[in-house]
Amino acid sequence: MSLNEFIELKERVAIGEEFSFNYKNDEYWISQNPDRYYLTRVKDSFTQEFNTSEVLFENGTIEGRLLSEIYMDIDW
């Protein structure tokens, strides 16, 4: 994923879209309900919860690394 695609992903999640993507052969979901945003690893349903999409992208991690640090290795 390029930086521009990462920015687009953040914008689209903020307006209500949900996405699946792959990172190192694992599938992940970004989803939401009216109260929360979620980052979930599919294989074991490990889920992180956030109050806003901004907080998800600021604090969400995969393998201990922030999404902003690994976006270039994400396939969507």
Side-chain angles (χ1 to χ4, degrees), residues 1-7 9-10 21 23 30 39 48 50 53-74:
M1 173 180 297
S2 69
L3 178 57
N4 287 339
E5 289 171 327
F6 185 62
I7 292 167
L9 174 67
K10 290 173 23 176
F21 61 88
Y23 177 75
I30 295 175
L39 174 59
Q48 299 168 63
F50 305 94
S53 64
E54 293 85 7
V55 174
L56 182 153
F57 284 102
E58 289 171 6
N59 298 322
T61 61
I62 296 177
E63 297 181 1
R65 298 183 66 204
L66 296 171
L67 294 174
S68 61
E69 296 175 322
I70 62 168
Y71 72 85
M72 67 288 299
D73 296 320
I74 292 174

Side-chain angles (χ1 to χ4, degrees), residues 13-68:
V13 168
I15 62 169
E17 292 188 50
E18 298 182 339
F19 290 91
S20 69
F21 61 88
N22 294 305
Y23 177 75
K24 292 189 175 180
N25 299 317
D26 282 325
E27 183 180 8
Y28 293 83
W29 273 97
I30 295 175
S31 59
Q32 60 187 289
N33 65 29
D35 299 318
R36 300 270 191 208
Y37 289 80
Y38 304 95
L39 174 59
T40 303
R41 184 174 51 221
V42 172
K43 73 177 179 182
D44 59 3
S45 299
F46 175 74
T47 301
Q48 299 168 63
E49 294 184 26
F50 305 94
N51 291 329
T52 66
S53 64
E54 293 85 7
V55 174
L56 182 153
F57 284 102
E58 289 171 6
N59 298 322
T61 61
I62 296 177
E63 297 181 1
R65 298 183 66 204
L66 296 171
L67 294 174
S68 61

